[in-house]
């Protein structure tokens, strides 16, 4: 069976860049708008809206984050070469 990763490494990087970009832009816009209107509440609302938008765009595993699937190693069958429990060396415990 193949493992389908929700995101690949490049997708994770893209999601992080989108998230940070939206947060930064919304913070700047929120600060400027709040400064002009002299209402700090608008700054908070705009930053919260930016956070909600960034969560919507980056948390679900959208197809744009899965364009570079990870290459997994094939499963190795150990077969009969497994060590029997009697073949193991006894563990030495430190004296306390």
């Amino acid at each position: 069976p193949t493992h389908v990763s929700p995101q690949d490494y490049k997708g994770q990087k893209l999601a992080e860049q989108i998230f940070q970009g939206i947060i930064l832009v919304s913070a700047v816009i929120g600060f400027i708008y709040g400064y002009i209107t002299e209402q700090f509440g608008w700054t908070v609302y705009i930053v919260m809206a930016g956070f909600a938008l960034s969560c919507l765009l980056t948390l679900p595993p959208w197809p744009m984050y899965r364009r570079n699937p990870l290459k997994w190693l094939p499963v190795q069958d150990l077969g009969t070469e497994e060590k029997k429990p009697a073949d193991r060396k006894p563990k030495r415990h430190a004296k306390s």
Side-chain angles (χ1 to χ4, degrees):
T2 59
H3 177 75
V4 178
S5 176
Q7 289 185 351
D8 55 59
Y9 293 119
K10 289 183 182 180
Q12 289 178 2
K13 182 178 180 181
L14 176 62
E16 181 69 22
Q17 289 172 339
I18 290 172
F19 181 80
Q20 289 180 355
I22 291 173
I23 293 295
L24 179 65
V25 169
S26 68
V28 170
I29 291 172
F31 178 79
I32 292 170
Y33 189 77
Y35 184 80
I36 291 170
T37 61
E38 298 180 3
Q39 296 279 328
F40 182 71
W42 277 108
T43 302
V44 174
Y45 293 141
I46 292 171
V47 170
M48 286 174 33
F51 179 75
L53 177 64
S54 64
C55 286
L56 179 68
L57 291 177
T58 59
L59 290 180
W62 298 109
M64 65 181 170
Y65 302 131
R66 295 184 285 169
R67 291 184 181 157
N68 303 292
L70 301 175
K71 305 286 189 253
W72 294 90
L73 293 174
V75 176
Q76 295 179 354
D77 186 20
L78 297 176
T80 58
E81 296 184 18
E82 289 186 29
K83 288 187 174 183
K84 296 176 185 174
D87 293 343
R88 286 189 281 173
K89 294 180 182 178
K91 293 181 181 176
R92 294 187 178 192
H93 296 287
K95 293 180 181 179
S96 53

